[in-house]
Structure formats: C-alpha cells, structure tokens
Amino acid sequence: MAIGSGMHVDDPSDDSLNLAMSDTARPLYDAVKKFISEEVEPITEKFYELGEDREDRWSYTKEQLELLESVKEKARSNGLWNFFLPDDETGQGLSNLDYAYIAAELGRNPLASESLNCSAPDTGNMEVLERVGTPEQKEKWLTPLLNGEIRSCFGMTEPGLASSDAKNIATQAVLDGDEWVINGEKYYISGAGDPRCKIMICMVQTNPDGPPHRRQSQILVPMDTPGVNILGPMHVFGQDDAPHGHMHIHLDNVRVPKENILLGEGRGFEISQLRLGPGRIHHCMRSIGAAEKALELMAKRGLSREAFGKKIAQLGKNVELISRARIEIEACRLMVLRAAKAMDTMGNAEARIWVSAVKAMVPEKVCKIIDEAIKEIDKATEYVQEAINADNAEDAIKTLEFIEKSLIDVGKIIPQEYGTDMSNIDTTAIPKEDMDTITELTGQMKVAKENKQKEFMSDLIEINLKYKKKIQELLS
C-alpha cells in the first residue's frame, strides 16, 4: 500500500521532492528582499504614526496614502508587481513553488504585500477575474485591481451556519428581469471596511432546488450599490482591525445587472476551487514570514536583556522555546514548499490533500510561535501600553489580566492574595518594610484593575517598573 495515499510520497524519485527555487525566479526573489528592506521597512513605522490621529478610524489619512502610493510606484517601476499571478502577461509567470519563497518574505512586514500589489483578498479575486471574468468584467474591475487603484473583498461567511461548507450558504440571489436581486447577510468579510474597497465577489444561492454543487453562484457586487449595508466590524480579541476591518454586511434587495455573474449560474463551487487552493497556500506562505519575524524579535529581545544575572533567552524554558520555534518554522516551510510543488506538478485538484494539510498545520504552529514570543520573552511590558491604549474598559481589564498571569519572572514573590506560589522564597529573610512595599505596589495594581478606568492605567507603567526593580533587588 502506498504511504500517504494521494500525496505521492511513496516514490522517492518523484519530482515533487525537488523543492529548489528556479534559477529564473532567484533574481526576483533577491530584488523583493532588497526592496522590502530598503523601501518598505523604513516607512512602516511612519505609515502607522501618520494614522494615529485620524478623525475617522475607518479611513486613511492623506499623508498615509501618499506615503503608501510612493512606495507602490517604486515597486511597479522596478517590475516588482503582481507576481502572484501565474500568467506572465499580467504577472511574473511564477510557479507556485517560486512564489512560496517570495511570499514568505512578504509576510515579514505588514505593508509589504500591498506595496507590491500582492495583498489578500485582492490576490484571490484578481486570479478569479483573470481566469473566468468576461472582457467587460476584466476591464471594469480586474484592470484597476491590477493597477493597485482599488481594493476588493470576498463575501462568503454567514452568521448562524457553518459557512466552511458552501452548500450551507443561504444568501439568496433571484433573477428579476435583467437584474439579480440579492438578500442575505455576511460577516467576517475581510477588507470591506477599507474605503478603497470597491467590489465584492459574493457567494450566493441561485438554485435552492438544484444539485448540491450547482446551487451556488458568485456575483460581482459593487460596494456602493444601494442595499449593501455595512453594519459594523467584527472584533477579534477586542480589536476591529480598522480601517481594513472584517465586516458584518447586510444585503437588502441589492440589485446588480445579470451580467455580473461569474462564469455562469451554478458555477460557484467550481470558481471556489480555482480560488481557494492558491488562496489558502498563499496565506500559509506569508504566515511563514510572520513566524520568522516573531522568532527574530524573540531572539533579539531575549539576547539583549538580562534578569537575575542571565540573558532572558537563557532563563527557564526560553532556550527550548526558541529552539522549538525554529524547528516548527522549518517543518512548516517544508510542508508549504511540498504543497506548492504538488500544485505545480499534480495540479490544484490532485494537490488538494497537500493544501489541506498545510492549511491545518501552519496557522496552528505559527500562532503558537507568536504566542510564545509574546508570553515567554516579551512578558508584560508592551501589554501595559496596550491596556492604556484600549478603546474601552473591558478590553483594558482583559489585557491587565493577561499581564497579571504573565509576570512569570517575579511571580514567586507576589503576595498570596494574588494566588501565586511563594514556596521557593524565604519571606522571613525579607525585611518587613520591603514586603510592605511589595504588598503596596501589587495592591495598587489591583486597584488600577478594579477601577476599570483608562485614567488609572497610565500609573501602571510606573508601578510595574517599580515592582520589577524592587523584586530584582531583593533577589540579587
């Protein structure tokens, strides 16, 4: 019996085991790395600073857009543009394997993908329009997307049902004369909050009584169409990701021309297979870069600071955590490269098992690496600032509770009222006045939390620093 049936791993001479980047793609890869380092990284911090005082959170400032457009223009003039597309007329003609290496570099910086016009969900939408769009649809929507003039979104997920199974999609589109009339609800629609988002590819049900895989269609819905109502953002860990956003949208008698349907009625599943294979693996590719950045920051911080006479990286389990992060990243990288090569050699349909494997593996591993980088190396310092910047008291309190749990270095000497272990500390050897100071400081932290007011949070930085300093003195 073949090992890993369907994954072609039983043949050690199979070409899918050759994961080297092609010689033709290497110059582009080097150019992308150089461009991100020299052009994108230097403007990233400034870009976000320029948006800090904007009046409308669901917009970008003029200065932000000018800065972003300037680097986009440089990328385009250097030929670093749209290289995610396999068609060499509109993209760079890269294989999935070659693009995997480049996408990992894009994932290291939050502006890199857009600077080179390779951002999700535009990448998937452009690929759909390129492959199945009519000449009119391409001229109206694909061209401005390829030029980086507009953004887009993809509307599939719906509240109250398991949207990962597209057969469950309940948003209805009914043909009324020369128009589709759409009614339904979508949420977690990424990018729909961006004022530059002009078009949504919307998954709808057009034939409720048809065969299961012919009930759905995909229709182009301009975002300014009457009846497209953005109810608000969905929150992830208390954040709304403005102005990009993951939006809750209500479609109320939305009318669009019947020519806006993609590929034809009942072809929604077919289009999804074109889109989701590359789209899923592109996310995994970029996630490798995000994990690399997290590990880089974790190691840099761990080797630049000392506590209790050692580098933070050498305390407790941190050596193991850093080592495991490197191991996990390399395992994920190899899996993603295998999946990309499988798509190139087997085709998207047969490679779906590899794509499913990396979709399951990579997000889980990357999130764990980032989580460990925050918890085990960064500790609570940056989270104090996050608590101060929280938009509401509830988010601030959640952050403070996380801080409280994360003070591992000093946790053994926090008074018993905080429920931590003091068994390894001989508190009788600590002068009473020092214990009183520690008790007072932790009490102040508790008061700041219980008051649930942002104005109390600013005192927490000073309290936290005093607290750590005092305990380090006592333990030295």
Side-chain angles (χ1 to χ4, degrees), residues 172-183 219-222 224-228 251-258 260:
Q172 296 282 320
V174 178
L175 194 60
D176 182 19
D178 292 334
E179 294 180 319
W180 289 103
V181 182
I182 305 172
N183 285 280
I219 297 177
L220 292 163
V221 179
D224 60 357
T225 306
V228 176
L251 303 166
D252 185 14
N253 289 320
V254 174
R255 289 180 171 269
V256 298
K258 68 177 183 180
N260 280 26

Side-chain angles (χ1 to χ4, degrees), residues 431-467:
K432 182 179 182 300
E433 60 180 307
D434 287 336
M435 280 302 300
D436 290 343
T437 300
I438 294 172
T439 304
E440 179 184 356
L441 291 174
T442 53
Q444 290 178 42
M445 291 179 69
K446 190 173 182 180
V447 169
K449 185 179 75 172
E450 290 176 346
N451 275 286
K452 302 183 180 181
Q453 297 294 330
K454 287 173 67 175
E455 54 262 36
F456 288 91
M457 302 306 174
S458 59
D459 296 331
L460 192 57
I461 291 180
E462 183 178 358
I463 293 170
N464 188 46
L465 292 176
K466 287 180 180 178
Y467 179 59

